[in-house]
Amino acid sequence: MIQVREKRSAKQPRSIFKNGSMRPIAFRLMSGFLLVIVIISVVFGGVGTRLIGARIVAEAQANVRRDLNAAREIYGTNLANILHSVRATADRFYLREALEAGDLNRIAAELARTRTKEELDVLTVTDASGVVLIRAANPRLVGDEQHGDEFVKAVIEWREPVAATSILSADELRLESPILAERAYVEFVETPRARERPETEETAGMMLKAAAPVFASDQRLIGIVYGGVLLNRRFEIVDKIKQTVFEDLQYEDKDIGTATIFQDDVRISTNVRNQDDTRAIGTRVTEEVYNQVVREGGQWIARAYVVNNWYISAYEPIRNIDGAIIGILYVGILEEPYLDIQKRSTMLFVAMALIGAALAVALSYFISRRISIPINQLVSASREVASGNLDAKVTVRSDRELAELADAFNSMASALRARDEKVKEFAKKRIMESERLAIVGQLAADVAHEINNPLQGIVTYSHMLLEKVEPDTPMGDKISKIAHQASRCTNIIRGLLDFSRQHKPHKRSARIKPVLHECVSLVENQALFHNIDIVKNFDEELPKVVIDPSQVEQVFMNMIINAAEAMDGNGRLTLTTRYDQFENAVEVDFADTGHGISEQNMERIFDPFFTTKEVGHGTGLGLAISFGIVMEHNGSISVDSEVGVGTTFTVRFPVNSDEGNTKNE
């Protein structure tokens, strides 16, 4: 296949620097190492920082969870102490004797001393039906019925002591003591992130309350004792939690730990401070915490905004005797120390990463130098080899791989030097042979030209003699042989002259189909084609091509006659034309059903004077001349053959040929 294309210059690589110099290998290795170091440092720095932060937060949450457990124990212990005091009071013999005798005046003073000693806000005695007999905190108000009180009802029903947290209305507190109603009153303080409430104040109070039965000697219920501590503005519990759990530690003049008791969502007892250092009574919990703890009944253990700062916080619900949620118990650790620890850890981590990166850069520089120096030596030696110095050598005394590369380079240079010598010797021989062949070719052309004239005479006179001699005589037979052999010599000489003096084609825009029709019309009536079925598969939409019709007709005639001879005048010849849109070329197939071409002959079929025909039936120049004509048209010839099946020759002409070749020369 012949393809003639304009040779394009290779695109020069763009230089990296303005002066056109390329970056050295050491710089590129350093850049690669540095990029890897930066990526690894950033990735592991980010991951490490996140892990450190997550670990610190997880540790803080675990600590605050333990603190909440401790706060719950302290809260429960206070409730248990109240239950113990109330139960001990109910079990005293003087109270039993007074209730049995109906003489309560002599025990009022004793109950008042007990209330003061046990630090109870409420200590009240009722009869077995719940009618108040004695109020130690408000002795003048007796006789009201408390059988609707949930604790009194529980004792009457269960005949056992009970204790829980309870909400008392303002009226209930006034019955026990007017002072308690005043303590319970709280005005709401506007708090960021708190839920919307129509109320602006709280008048009820939250109390740790216990009740116990009083039995007669015959185990008959003769009275009930109940008592309690109002949590509103009473700070012993929250301060004890702070002291016990957080040990009153401070960070930058701020309490690290805080504790709070909420009534619903309002702080009624707390050591969380406002900006003016007062206790944040009346401030409220955030809405998200309220929804999680009060409405859903779960714990909240996470960071939360508390009044004016962020805390790692833990909240859990406080329930009454019936299990309903009436408040929240809170402990929290100031987030700021953990954030500072996280910042310091992150800075330390980053500093270590930077130090590691600096050490890695120094190490990479050392490694890159060890690699780049031998590579630069190889580059210099390669340039010398490229410039023609095949004696260049490289000596590397470093890494094994680079040493092997240097040995391979030296071996390559030696092989190139040896091959160069062989190529020079071969080229010298080929040049001498080409010169000799050129001389022989010129001589052959001259000899052929000189011989052609006498041969024409021999052919002419031999035919004239044949006309005068009887054809069946011995003399006629000899003259016929002379004429035949002289004609054969004339054909050989003519082919040799055509091959040696191929002229430039006179190209013009033309269609392939008429040329093929002309060729078929010239041969279809010849005796050789009488038993050959010629099938025409012509594409009617073929574009024009730029060709010399007379030369192309010569090519097509040669292909058709060769196909007929390959089939011994009996078979099918299929002529097919088509347009290849991908190659933008017109193709013509000459497919015969002849004996085919063997593999060993396929590579020689276009060689001059090579033929597979019997002696006297071909010169071996037809395909060689056709090959040259197609090449002059920037086209190609390809062959596909199978022995015993047939052969297909495909001639291809480009549609867009060089317009400069269309001019007659």
Side-chain angles (χ1 to χ4, degrees):
M1 183 178 292
I2 302 299
Q3 293 181 345
V4 180
R5 296 182 181 177
E6 182 181 356
K7 186 176 181 182
R8 298 181 181 178
S9 59
K11 187 176 180 181
Q12 297 298 324
R14 293 182 298 174
S15 60
I16 299 175
F17 295 139
K18 290 183 179 179
N19 60 4
S21 62
M22 300 295 289
R23 289 191 176 101
I25 186 65
F27 179 82
R28 283 181 282 164
L29 287 173
M30 284 285 296
S31 300
F33 289 147
L34 187 59
L35 180 61
V36 172
I37 292 167
V38 169
I39 292 174
I40 292 176
S41 298
V42 170
V43 171
F44 282 90
V47 173
T49 301
R50 284 183 172 272
L51 290 177
I52 290 172
R55 182 59 185 169
I56 290 174
V57 171
E59 186 67 24
Q61 291 178 350
N63 289 339
V64 81
R65 189 188 298 272
R66 289 191 293 268
D67 296 341
L68 181 62
N69 295 335
R72 187 189 312 115
E73 290 296 325
I74 294 173
Y75 187 88
T77 298
N78 277 267
L79 182 59
N81 290 338
I82 294 172
L83 175 61
H84 176 75
S85 299
V86 171
R87 187 172 185 176
T89 301
D91 289 342
R92 289 182 180 175
F93 72 92
Y94 69 83
L95 180 59
R96 185 187 318 123
E97 290 179 352
L99 289 175
E100 288 178 340
D103 182 10
L104 301 176
N105 291 329
R106 63 188 181 89
I107 63 170
E110 184 64 27
L111 287 176
R113 283 194 297 271
T114 300
R115 185 184 74 84
T116 302
K117 179 182 177 183
E118 298 296 334
E119 298 182 346
L120 299 174
D121 292 323
V122 173
L123 185 59
T124 301
V125 180
T126 72
D127 62 12
S129 62
V131 177
V132 176
L133 301 176
I134 302 174
R135 274 194 175 93
N138 193 7
R140 290 179 297 177
L141 186 60
V142 294
D144 54 292
E145 294 184 355
Q146 292 291 323
H147 59 271
D149 182 88
E150 54 191 1
F151 288 85
V152 173
K153 285 171 59 178
V155 172
I156 293 174
E157 182 180 352
W158 300 335
R159 299 172 67 86
E160 291 181 355
V162 293
T165 307
S166 178
I167 299 295
L168 279 69
S169 66
D171 293 336
E172 290 174 326
L173 291 173
R174 289 191 191 95
L175 287 175
E176 301 300 335
S177 172
I179 298 175
L180 297 180
E182 294 177 3
R183 276 177 49 194
Y185 177 79
V186 176
E187 285 191 11
F188 294 168
V189 177
E190 185 176 352
T191 308
R193 303 173 184 269
R195 69 188 179 102
E196 293 289 337
R197 285 187 66 177
E199 302 88 358
T200 60
E201 60 184 13
E202 180 63 72
T203 58
M206 180 182 284
M207 180 176 287
L208 294 179
K209 190 174 181 181
V214 180
F215 294 106
S217 56
D218 58 358
Q219 297 301 309
R220 179 172 45 87
L221 181 64
I222 59 174
I224 300 170
V225 178
Y226 68 83
V229 172
L230 184 67
L231 296 175
N232 300 59
R233 289 190 171 86
R234 186 159 181 166
F235 308 116
E236 288 86 350
I237 295 178
V238 293
D239 287 346
K240 185 175 182 181
I241 292 172
K242 175 184 171 183
Q243 183 179 10
T244 303
V245 176
F246 304 110
E247 299 178 352
D248 291 330
L249 294 176
Q250 290 191 332
Y251 183 80
E252 296 183 355
D253 297 329
K254 300 175 186 176
D255 291 329
I256 286 183
T258 56
T260 297
I261 297 173
F262 290 88
Q263 179 179 324
D264 193 32
D265 67 343
V266 182
R267 286 181 175 83
I268 60 171
S269 180
T270 183
N271 42 47
V272 175
R273 300 286 177 170
N274 292 314
Q275 294 290 356
D276 58 1
D277 203 37
T278 59
R279 294 181 186 259
I281 299 297
T283 57
R284 298 162 57 211
V285 75
T286 60
E287 184 175 9
E288 57 181 348
V289 174
Y290 181 84
N291 293 336
Q292 175 77 17
V293 179
V294 177
R295 291 182 176 172
E296 298 181 13
Q299 287 186 336
W300 172 283
I301 301 178
R303 69 191 301 260
Y305 192 77
V306 179
V307 181
N308 53 29
N309 216 329
W310 286 96
Y311 286 78
I312 306 297
S313 305
Y315 299 82
E316 72 175 17
I318 297 175
R319 302 178 184 270
N320 64 9
I321 194 172
D322 296 323
I325 298 174
I326 58 174
I328 304 172
L329 178 63
Y330 153 85
V331 291
I333 306 173
L334 193 65
E335 187 185 48
E336 190 174 346
Y338 290 96
L339 292 179
D340 289 343
I341 292 173
Q342 183 177 354
K343 289 178 182 177
R344 288 194 295 270
S345 300
T346 301
M347 291 177 63
L348 179 61
F349 191 87
V350 171
M352 293 176 62
L354 291 176
I355 293 173
L359 293 175
V361 168
L363 182 61
S364 66
Y365 176 77
F366 174 74
I367 294 174
S368 66
R369 290 290 296 170
R370 284 180 58 86
I371 296 175
S372 63
I373 291 175
I375 291 178
N376 288 333
Q377 293 177 355
L378 285 167
V379 170
S380 299
S382 299
R383 288 174 178 169
E384 290 187 18
V385 170
S387 63
N389 181 15
L390 299 180
D391 294 324
K393 296 289 184 181
V394 178
T395 303
V396 175
R397 304 181 183 276
S398 60
D399 303 82
R400 177 181 175 183
E401 290 81 3
L402 290 175
E404 291 178 355
L405 180 60
D407 292 340
F409 176 85
N410 294 333
S411 300
M412 179 194 70
S414 299
L416 286 175
R417 185 169 58 254
R419 183 170 297 181
D420 183 63
E421 293 175 356
K422 291 181 179 179
V423 168
K424 288 179 180 179
E425 183 179 355
F426 177 77
K428 183 178 180 180
K429 290 180 179 179
R430 292 294 294 179
I431 291 171
M432 293 175 64
E433 183 178 352
S434 297
E435 291 177 350
R436 183 177 61 83
L437 288 176
I439 295 172
V440 172
Q442 183 63 41
L443 180 61
D446 294 341
V447 171
H449 182 73
E450 294 297 330
I451 294 176
N452 190 45
N453 292 330
L455 278 176
Q456 291 294 333
I458 295 172
V459 170
T460 301
Y461 285 112
S462 62
H463 280 283
M464 290 174 63
L465 288 173
L466 281 175
E467 294 177 358
K468 296 179 180 181
V469 179
E470 293 296 331
D472 295 331
T473 63
M475 182 62 69
D477 183 55
K478 293 177 181 179
I479 295 173
S480 176
K481 289 182 180 179
I482 293 172
H484 176 72
Q485 294 299 328
S487 297
R488 180 170 174 267
C489 290
T490 301
N491 291 333
I492 293 173
I493 295 299
R494 185 182 297 112
L496 181 61
L497 290 174
D498 290 340
F499 182 76
S500 62
R501 297 185 301 181
Q502 291 182 8
H503 58 272
K504 290 289 184 180
H506 299 280
K507 297 180 182 179
R508 60 181 176 85
S509 181
R511 296 189 182 275
I512 291 294
K513 182 179 176 182
V515 178
L516 276 172
H517 274 302
E518 179 67 21
C519 292
V520 173
S521 64
L522 289 174
V523 300
E524 60 185 355
N525 293 322
Q526 295 183 15
L528 182 62
F529 289 86
H530 286 174
N531 295 321
I532 293 177
D533 182 16
I534 300 178
V535 180
K536 304 173 185 177
N537 295 327
F538 294 164
D539 187 349
E540 301 296 334
E541 303 296 329
L542 286 178
K544 291 183 177 181
V545 291
V546 179
I547 59 174
D548 182 340
S550 63
Q551 288 194 357
V552 172
E553 181 178 340
Q554 181 181 353
V555 173
F556 290 169
M557 286 292 294
N558 187 59
M559 295 293 172
I560 293 172
I561 293 173
N562 282 350
E565 292 177 347
M567 294 184 289
D568 296 327
N570 190 0
R572 183 175 67 253
L573 173 61
T574 303
L575 306 179
T576 304
T577 63
R578 60 179 170 272
Y579 173 63
D580 187 347
Q581 60 181 352
F582 297 104
E583 296 291 338
N584 193 25
V586 171
E587 295 180 346
V588 183
D589 288 347
F590 300 85
D592 63 58
T593 57
H595 48 70
I597 304 173
S598 63
E599 291 185 6
Q600 58 267 28
N601 291 333
M602 284 288 287
E603 297 181 357
R604 302 183 60 195
I605 57 175
F606 294 110
D607 292 346
F609 303 107
F610 175 78
T611 180
T612 58
K613 300 176 184 178
E614 296 179 0
V615 177
H617 289 81
T619 64
L621 293 173
L623 284 178
I625 294 172
S626 299
F627 187 87
I629 292 173
V630 173
M631 182 178 66
E632 285 291 333
H633 285 77
N634 298 326
S636 64
I637 300 178
S638 60
V639 186
D640 184 15
S641 182
E642 184 176 351
V643 176
V645 176
T647 303
T648 300
F649 280 84
T650 300
V651 181
R652 174 178 297 180
F653 295 104
V655 172
N656 295 329
S657 183
D658 186 1
E659 293 298 329
N661 292 334
T662 64
K663 297 180 180 180
N664 294 337
E665 298 181 5

